[in-house]
Amino acid sequence: MRELAGSPGTWSGLSLRVGQLVFAAASVCATASALGFAAYTAFCYLIASMGLQALWSLGLACLDCYALKFKKDLHSAVLVSLFVVGDWFPQPLKWIYFIETNQVTAILSFAASCSAAGVVVLFDRDIYACRRDPQLPCGRFELATACAFLSWAFSATSALVMFWLLASL
């Protein structure tokens, strides 16, 4: 099997995970350092989503480091299934859908980024709150939102690679 760029246990996969982790952590730090962020639901959601993204990315980065250090192959059917199966719908539904955890975190990251971007645009362009209230940390909100979108881009790339890997097995 041809090795896919960004697949688990490769240097490119590790770089995707580290990119996710760095930008998610930067988004959390920028949001948490902004005074009054807790008054806005979008930024609370952004912290929760980026925190989940950072933890998930840290776990996968550690697994990639282990695989690279000890020359382990993470492309076995069992390991790929563990990567891909992220969530099972409840039993009463009578179907089983497989949702890749990377895809779930990518969707959460995108939703949180979009909601935070909506608030930033509202503050800056619509009601001019950033000009009227110099105490409002608009710059930090903008930085946090930009980092969240960058984390999402890495996460979405990783999710596409995982879907491609699943299809190639």
Side-chain angles (χ1 to χ4, degrees):
M1 178 177 78
R2 200 176 113 221
E3 187 174 297
L4 291 172
S7 63
T10 63
W11 286 105
S12 58
L14 179 61
S15 66
L16 280 175
R17 309 301 183 255
V18 169
Q20 292 171 20
L21 175 63
V22 166
F23 286 114
S27 178
V28 169
C29 290
T31 305
S33 68
L35 294 175
F37 80 89
Y40 307 103
T41 306
F43 295 112
C44 293
Y45 178 47
L46 184 69
I47 282 189
S49 174
M50 289 296 112
L52 175 66
Q53 179 68 50
L55 289 174
W56 174 250
S57 302
L58 178 65
L60 287 182
C62 290
L63 187 62
D64 284 339
C65 286
Y66 172 80
L68 288 168
K69 182 176 181 175
F70 296 109
K71 309 269 191 268
K72 299 288 183 180
D73 182 24
L74 298 179
H75 294 140
S76 69
V78 173
L79 286 176
V80 170
S81 296
L82 289 175
F83 288 135
V84 174
V85 176
D87 196 80
W88 293 52
F89 282 86
Q91 183 62 25
L93 293 177
K94 301 294 181 200
W95 344 269
I96 298 172
Y97 285 102
F98 297 102
I99 299 175
E100 180 190 354
T101 307
N102 278 343
Q103 189 64 29
V104 171
T105 57
I107 291 169
L108 287 174
S109 298
F110 185 67
S113 302
C114 288
S115 67
V119 172
V120 166
V121 169
L122 176 74
F123 284 170
D124 195 33
R125 304 277 168 96
D126 293 339
I127 62 172
Y128 304 109
C130 295
R131 292 183 198 157
R132 286 193 305 230
D133 185 7
Q135 300 298 323
L136 193 62
C138 291
R140 290 192 184 182
F141 289 155
E142 289 172 0
L143 177 64
T145 303
C147 288
F149 272 114
L150 289 171
S151 177
W152 166 75
F154 281 106
S155 182
T157 303
S158 177
L160 289 172
V161 168
M162 291 301 288
F163 276 136
W164 192 268
L165 182 63
L166 178 65
S168 69
L169 285 182

